[in-house]
Amino acid sequence: MNELLSIVLTIITAATPLLLASIGELVVERSGVLNLGVEGMMAVGAVCGFGAALMTGSPLVGVLAAIAAGVILSMLFGFLTLTMVSNQVATGLALTLLGLGLAGMIGEGFVGQPGVKLEKISIPGLTGIPFIGPVLFGQDLLVYVSLIIVAATSYVLFRTKTGLIIRAVGDSHQSAHALGYSVIGVRYLCVMFGGACSGLAGGYLSLVYTPQWVENMTAGRGWIALALVVFASWLPWRLAIGAYLFGTITILGFSLQAVGIGIPSQLLSSLPYVVTILALVVISGNRALTRANTPACLGQPFVPDR
Amino acid sequence: MKIWMAMAAALALSVSAGAAQAADKLKACWVYVGPVGDFGYSYQHDQGRKAVEKELGDKVETVFLENVAEGPDAERAIERLAREGCKIIFTTSFGFMDPTIKVAAKYPDIKFEHATGYKMADNVAIYNARFYEGRYVMGQVAAKMSKTGVAGYIVSFPIPEVVMGINAFMLGAQSVNPDFKIKIVWVNSWYDPGKEADAAKVLFGQGADIMVQHTDSTAPLQIAEEQGKLGFGQSSDMIKFAPKAQLSANTDDWDPYYVARVKAVLDSTWKSGSTWGGMKDGMVVLSPFTNMPDDVKKMAEDSVAKIKSGELLPFTGPITKQDGTTVGEAGKSLPDEELLGMNYYIKGIDDKLPQ
């Protein structure tokens, strides 16, 4: 039981940063913008969150700083791709490089310093229940936040007018423009939302996952988040399934290794990718649905004709 | 991912190689595989570079390139340093071996030093540290301190250096408790704090109560601290991250070697050669023994003293391999070539070595 509990808790921590980063990117892509800079925004979020928490002693301030840092970086991306109409793929890649470099520079003084950890919550009476307590009522705040964001995103995208506008902008920016919606304005907001989520994901790494700052600590998670969005065919709940599946297979792989049954570790390391892709391909077997959910204007620049 | 790494390396090249030139100073240069901010392997090499600057002051000027990817990129990076007037170039990762040899052939007047490899030339010296000496003592301490008799061991890649470390650790542990067990998790990365933390949690969940790592981040030790377990630091002293959990840390100290080698170039006494330094040479240093009773501490310190004096050789033959065959002559250490090519587990390790 204890072993199972520790596995479940580890899975939740492993899945949360992926979910946070990818849900933001999902909204960005739904509005027709492809921002490949997730990794860079995560890195800057991680270092700013860590630094702010260290200086103020408050992990919550750290969380806010991480969000703010992600937003600022994403606004730079927005300015370049939306206002200056630069190529989104190239700008996104540049944003990753910039973010990683910038984070390394900002974080120079933080290397080798223990951080401030965002503690798990504890609800008297509930957290104490065996197994269910620690899993459902004893997580850190951001785990709940990530799930709330997924639910809210799903609701807003598919049940509200706002969502309809976002999807319209992503599917046919010319039509949305003709209807009088500000394509650029909507995209700016979505890009900033994506930045906030990426920054938060980075903050999760440096404040909860491993409370420390070291260069390259994001270790490619931004890229996994990007891939998850595509394989979840831009649907929030599938994204949650994908992120948790990825975390589960990773942790189960470690458990199998530690048991010592001699499955090659290289195979186990690649399993999360293989299984997640397979599972998401299978659940998106309905190709008409997948096509309907793919933002038709993804990656295309929009220049309003005057 | 590949593209990103290559681009990151290219960016790193253009950013960090911008140090000013001065004609009368000796230019000493370093190439690192990771960021200097990793607080582990590359960080430790950079401390050595700083020691050179401090020790030799005005006579030298130092330059480093960080985040250089192993492979063709490395050759370009090293050649660039050579063209920029570096007189001695330290390339600090195994994967820089062939690039170093190639560039060295083109620039016979420049001295090259390659860490952890085995190819030499008239102007290429090699150096490495006997990390396994520290791991042997860690094994002894772990066996004394563990209540469950099981240690968790987080590792990167199945290269001889790492396998040697696992075996040394086990030999040390078995010298105290013949039934000691380890559980091994390969994370297939030198450096991924998140994965390392996950692996540590899984291992503790499966009954290990001591954490050993051959990866570079402080994450496993932080998990040990969080869960009230014990562990060992890697490359750098990580006591700040785990004041109640760190028993000791197996650290590399390149400072004296780097100072001596750069000095040798200044004095024109530099010669190619192979240096494999251990505790005796101060290249491998166990940071202070903490969070353990005095008798364990004393045992550890005695072992360190014996290793330094040569009385205790961690790999004393005959050693029984996992498959039951034995290697080594009785009473003698396994020869260096045998150690450097180690690709088997010793008896008592239940894991299967990935090939």
Side-chain angles (χ1 to χ4, degrees), chain A residues 9-10 32 36 55 70 130 170 186 204 217-218 232 260 263 270 294 297 304-305:
Chain A
L9 292 179
T10 313
L36 296 179
M55 284 188 265
V186 170
Y204 192 81
M217 74 182 293
T218 47
I263 300 176
S270 65
T294 310
C297 287
D305 36 315

Side-chain angles (χ1 to χ4, degrees), chain B residues 35-343:
Chain B
V36 289
D38 67 356
F39 203 59
Y41 186 75
S42 294
Y43 174 85
Q44 222 48 40
H45 281 286
D46 201 52
Q47 294 299 310
R49 178 188 67 84
K50 286 182 181 159
V52 169
E53 267 192 344
K54 204 170 146 223
E55 196 78 18
L56 303 173
D58 290 345
K59 291 182 220 145
V60 292
E61 178 201 342
T62 68
V63 173
F64 69 88
L65 299 180
E66 58 180 337
N67 276 325
V68 176
E70 298 182 334
D73 251 4
E75 190 175 330
R76 205 158 41 79
I78 299 166
E79 178 143 19
R80 182 169 154 199
L81 288 177
R83 250 187 275 126
E84 276 180 4
C86 296
K87 291 287 175 263
I88 178 163
I89 301 175
F90 296 92
T91 55
T92 61
S93 187
F94 183 80
F96 297 155
M97 181 163 66
D98 290 330
T100 305
I101 295 290
K102 269 193 202 163
V103 178
K106 284 194 225 166
Y107 297 87
D109 296 336
I110 300 176
K111 319 295 184 208
F112 292 83
E113 300 250 356
H114 177 243
T116 71
Y118 53 81
K119 290 188 185 167
M120 289 164 58
D122 282 346
N123 61 336
V124 183
I126 54 174
Y127 62 104
N128 198 356
R130 295 178 188 270
F131 304 109
Y132 67 86
E133 293 182 347
R135 289 194 178 263
Y136 183 88
V137 180
M138 280 158 57
Q140 290 184 312
V141 172
K144 280 266 187 208
M145 294 301 294
S146 173
K147 292 189 187 77
T148 58
V150 181
Y153 204 122
I154 302 174
V155 266
S156 49
F157 298 103
I159 57 172
E161 164 117 24
V162 171
V163 177
M164 199 192 322
I166 297 174
N167 286 339
F169 178 85
M170 253 332 241
L171 286 170
Q174 286 170 346
S175 74
V176 172
N177 172 6
D179 296 323
F180 196 78
K181 293 274 172 252
I182 49 172
K183 286 180 180 289
I184 300 173
V185 170
W186 300 88
V187 291
N188 289 316
S189 165
W190 280 111
Y191 183 69
D192 182 337
K195 265 194 188 175
E196 293 169 47
D198 291 343
K201 287 182 201 163
V202 166
L203 286 164
F204 283 136
Q206 289 199 10
D209 63 351
I210 308 252
M211 192 54 52
V212 196
Q213 61 183 98
H214 206 146
T215 49
D216 291 341
S217 94
T218 54
L221 210 49
Q222 276 183 310
I223 301 296
E225 176 86 4
E226 220 175 272
Q227 304 202 359
K229 308 275 172 54
L230 298 165
F232 295 93
Q234 159 73 3
S235 282
S236 300
D237 187 351
M238 298 174 171
I239 188 81
K240 269 198 282 177
F241 287 87
K244 292 198 206 76
Q246 182 178 293
L247 294 163
S248 179
N250 199 20
T251 68
D252 329 332
D253 184 357
W254 307 104
D255 304 12
Y257 182 76
Y258 284 154
V259 172
R261 298 303 279 178
V262 175
K263 230 182 194 159
V265 177
L266 280 171
D267 306 341
S268 312
T269 54
W270 190 93
K271 267 208 216 79
S272 173
S274 163
T275 307
W276 201 16
M279 288 185 170
K280 167 165 67 68
D281 318 274
M283 223 180 228
V284 175
V285 180
L286 281 174
S287 65
F289 296 102
T290 44
N291 297 312
M292 61 182 83
D294 286 344
D295 61 317
V296 181
K297 191 172 167 181
K298 185 165 180 313
M299 173 205 71
E301 278 164 354
D302 284 352
S303 296
V304 170
K306 279 185 192 161
I307 289 176
K308 277 188 181 163
S309 72
E311 193 183 327
L312 173 61
L313 302 163
F315 284 105
T316 303
I319 289 168
T320 313
K321 294 191 198 175
Q322 204 177 28
D323 61 10
T325 57
T326 56
V327 284
E329 285 174 56
K332 275 195 184 161
S333 176
L334 293 187
D336 284 356
E337 307 82 70
E338 175 84 25
L339 293 178
L340 287 168
M342 199 167 249
N343 59 355

Side-chain angles (χ1 to χ4, degrees), chain A residues 3 6 10 13-14 39 93 96-98 100-101 111-115 117 209-217 219-221 223 250-251 254-260 262 264-266 269 273, chain B residues 1 4 7-8 11 35-39 43 66-67 158 183-188 191-195 197-199 201-203 205-206 217-219 222-223 226 240-241 350-352 354-355:
Chain A
E3 197 178 308
S6 105
T10 313
T13 330
E39 181 89 2
L93 287 173
T96 289
L97 296 179
L98 173 74
L100 289 173
V111 171
Q113 294 205 42
K117 189 176 163 110
Y209 209 154
T210 50
Q212 58 173 317
W213 163 254
V214 274
E215 270 184 67
N216 297 354
M217 74 182 293
R221 281 181 183 74
W223 299 108
T250 310
I251 303 307
F254 288 153
S255 303
L256 282 179
Q257 276 198 53
V259 171
S265 64
Q266 294 89 336
S269 294
Y273 301 89
Chain B
M1 194 69 179
W4 162 64
M7 289 175 99
L11 190 79
V36 289
D38 67 356
F39 203 59
Y43 174 85
E66 58 180 337
N67 276 325
K183 286 180 180 289
I184 300 173
V185 170
W186 300 88
V187 291
N188 289 316
Y191 183 69
D192 182 337
K195 265 194 188 175
D198 291 343
K201 287 182 201 163
V202 166
L203 286 164
Q206 289 199 10
S217 94
T218 54
Q222 276 183 310
I223 301 296
E226 220 175 272
K240 269 198 282 177
F241 287 87
D350 296 331
D351 192 51
K352 222 178 119 203
Q355 294 297 340

